[in-house]
Amino acid sequence: MPELSQDAERVRALPFGVAEVTGPSMVPTLHHGDRLLVHYGARVKRGDVIVLRHPFQQDLLVVKRAAERRDGGWWVLGDNAYAGGDSTDYGVVPDELVLGRVRFRYRPRSTARRSPLALLVWLLRSARPVLSDRSASRRLRAR
């Protein structure tokens, strides 16, 4: 289950904050170590990648895809069907536990490579927006 670093909690008062992904449940969309720009309080729609409090352990922040709206909240799924730790384990997530929407992801830059070319390659490969991809969760069609 991808947990987020507590840095996300410190910037909660601001509309945007940075969080770090740990765990494999959002692979291939997000990987362990990715940094996320989170828009706190943003309106969530089906297909969005969101940050939420774990329903059973509310001091734990997780990142999942909002799969569908149900009575009482959101059904959320990880993009990696084999990792678990989503609504198949804990059910519908109440709206008050949904903190925000992920807008952008980047991978940390290696300090070993400092050339301008290495910086350009890092920018092209490591930084990208996280879009609402309604087809990304193929698991929905399989259920």
Side-chain angles (χ1 to χ4, degrees):
M1 168 180 330
E3 302 169 8
L4 299 176
S5 68
Q6 292 304 313
D7 292 339
E9 204 49 32
R10 282 187 290 159
V11 294
R12 176 83 168 95
L14 302 173
F16 288 93
V18 177
E20 180 180 350
V21 176
T22 59
S25 79
M26 287 300 290
V27 171
T29 306
L30 303 172
H31 297 272
H32 179 80
D34 283 352
R35 305 297 197 279
L36 307 175
L37 178 65
V38 181
H39 184 182
Y40 292 105
R43 192 173 131 223
V44 175
K45 61 184 185 294
R46 185 177 186 271
D48 287 345
V49 176
I50 60 174
V51 173
L52 56 119
R53 290 189 185 282
H54 191 284
F56 301 141
Q57 189 180 352
Q58 293 184 9
D59 60 332
L60 178 67
L61 302 179
V62 296
V63 59
K64 299 291 178 193
R65 188 172 300 277
E68 70 181 32
R69 192 81 175 109
R70 293 192 178 178
D71 288 338
W74 284 97
W75 187 263
V76 297
L77 295 173
D79 287 353
N80 181 351
Y82 302 106
D86 54 23
S87 285
T88 58
D89 295 329
Y90 46 74
V92 174
V93 176
D95 290 323
E96 58 269 12
L97 297 182
V98 176
L99 301 177
R101 181 176 165 195
V102 176
R103 299 289 187 168
F104 193 78
R105 103 67 193 131
Y106 68 95
R107 296 205 170 106
R109 188 169 159 234
S110 170
T111 57
R113 296 183 173 162
R114 296 184 180 194
S115 72
L117 179 60
L119 176 62
L120 180 62
V121 169
W122 173 79
L123 283 172
L124 293 173
R125 290 185 180 172
S126 299
R128 67 174 180 188
V130 177
L131 303 173
S132 297
D133 186 2
R134 299 186 196 295
S135 66
S137 189
R138 293 181 190 96
R139 295 175 58 192
L140 289 177
R141 290 191 291 274
R143 292 179 184 211

